[in-house]
Amino acid sequence: MKSFEISRGQVGAGIVPVAPHAVPTSLPAPRADKVQLEPAANAPVAAGLAHTAPSVGQQELPTTTALDVLSSQKADAPHRRGRTAALRVRDVKTEADASTKRAFKPLVELAGPLQDALAQFGIKR
Amino acid sequence: MTPETVADSALSQVRAAPSLDEALVHAGQAVVHALRDAMKAAGISKIEPSLAALQATQLDRLLARSLAEGAVDHRVVRRELDRLMRALSSRAIAAADLKAGILAFDEAAQRIALAAGRGSAFKYPTVGNRARDSLITFARSLHR
């Protein structure tokens, strides 16, 4: 079956394949029909829109959209203001002085005994 | 108990330990004890929260092992980070505590390396240090 032929199954399913070489020479002009929107009974309404939802009459205005309604509500969320500060990683060299070096000498001296004690487990320099 | 006897007691427990894991527990305690004294002598603030974070993350054991080896091995750090990831996933430890423990380890290692000087006792450069890069990158990933 060639690609542009329609099978019964496709017709039944409402599928109409477009012929691969078909190129529309002109497009139909868009029809600007009025669309009367009736809110569905069970349609979920965003909490932010509920109290400012446009009335039925307003829905006929082409300029009023949901996005306009949302953007008109200035979000007041103090917890979102600013950015988290970067992780503060210390460079001890810039802060340390001679007293720090002296204070931490015992830890340097602990390295030798630690090495001796852990050598039996294969820990070595 | 004098500081020397506390350290000696811990070291004797390290020697008597039946396994490396148990030895490192005691070695970590010895290092924390010595760190406390050193930080007090250096006038560093927030000593106890820093040491608590170090012990909660068990990075005191990594510090002890690194001291014994003379440097922080990036392969050992990799294994430690895997362990910490699992602890984080199982909620055994909070991200904030994990971050604090890594920073405490990093600062302690820097100070010890500074005190060791250019000798080979302990090296922990701040540049070109794969182990440090892994630790800080992990801590940064926890920071929000």
Side-chain angles (χ1 to χ4, degrees), chain A:
Chain A
M1 186 181 76
K2 292 182 184 176
S3 60
F4 53 81
E5 287 181 1
I6 303 167
S7 69
R8 281 187 186 177
Q10 284 176 314
V11 169
I15 300 168
V16 179
V18 177
H21 300 293
V23 176
T25 53
S26 64
L27 292 170
R31 296 175 62 187
D33 289 335
K34 276 186 186 176
V35 178
Q36 296 284 347
L37 294 175
E38 291 180 3
N42 296 325
V45 179
L49 290 173
H51 60 283
T52 59
S55 62
V56 174
Q58 285 182 357
Q59 286 178 353
E60 295 179 6
L61 294 174
T63 56
T64 305
T65 64
L67 191 58
D68 291 334
V69 174
L70 276 171
S71 59
S72 67
Q73 296 171 350
K74 295 200 186 285
D76 186 20
H79 63 282
R80 295 293 297 169
R81 286 185 193 143
R83 287 160 50 185
T84 304
L87 181 68
R88 188 165 174 250
V89 181
R90 271 204 168 108
D91 186 1
V92 166
K93 223 184 294 182
T94 57
E95 303 169 1
D97 54 8
S99 64
T100 304
K101 290 183 188 177
R102 272 197 307 272
F104 280 78
K105 270 289 183 193
L107 273 150
V108 178
E109 289 160 7
L110 186 57
L114 267 176
Q115 188 194 355
D116 293 339
L118 291 170
Q120 59 177 312
F121 303 108
I123 302 294
K124 54 186 177 180
R125 286 181 181 270

Side-chain angles (χ1 to χ4, degrees), chain B residues 39 44-51:
Chain B
M39 289 169 85
I44 294 165
S45 61
K46 297 182 186 174
I47 296 173
E48 291 310 320
S50 182
L51 294 179

Side-chain angles (χ1 to χ4, degrees), chain B residues 18-135:
Chain B
S19 65
L20 176 60
D21 285 344
E22 203 169 316
L24 286 175
V25 169
H26 299 297
Q29 288 169 356
V31 165
V32 165
H33 189 83
L35 257 180
R36 185 178 283 112
D37 293 340
M39 289 169 85
K40 277 181 190 169
I44 294 165
S45 61
K46 297 182 186 174
I47 296 173
E48 291 310 320
S50 182
L51 294 179
L54 197 63
Q55 288 182 297
T57 52
Q58 297 178 11
L59 289 175
D60 55 334
R61 303 174 198 184
L62 175 63
L63 190 58
R65 179 184 180 140
S66 304
L67 259 179
E69 291 179 325
V72 185
D73 189 339
H74 67 91
R75 290 163 295 189
V76 177
V77 164
R78 187 68 252 162
R79 287 199 295 271
E80 287 296 302
L81 289 179
D82 289 343
R83 175 183 64 79
L84 291 171
M85 286 268 283
R86 287 194 296 273
L88 195 61
S89 301
S90 65
R91 299 192 183 184
I93 191 164
D97 294 333
L98 192 38
K99 195 174 59 172
I102 291 174
L103 292 179
F105 176 92
D106 181 61
E107 289 171 22
Q110 284 190 60
R111 290 189 175 105
I112 298 170
L114 203 65
R118 290 183 184 178
S120 60
F122 184 70
K123 286 180 185 172
Y124 190 73
T126 53
V127 177
N129 184 340
R130 273 178 76 177
R132 184 177 194 247
D133 291 343
S134 297
L135 285 165

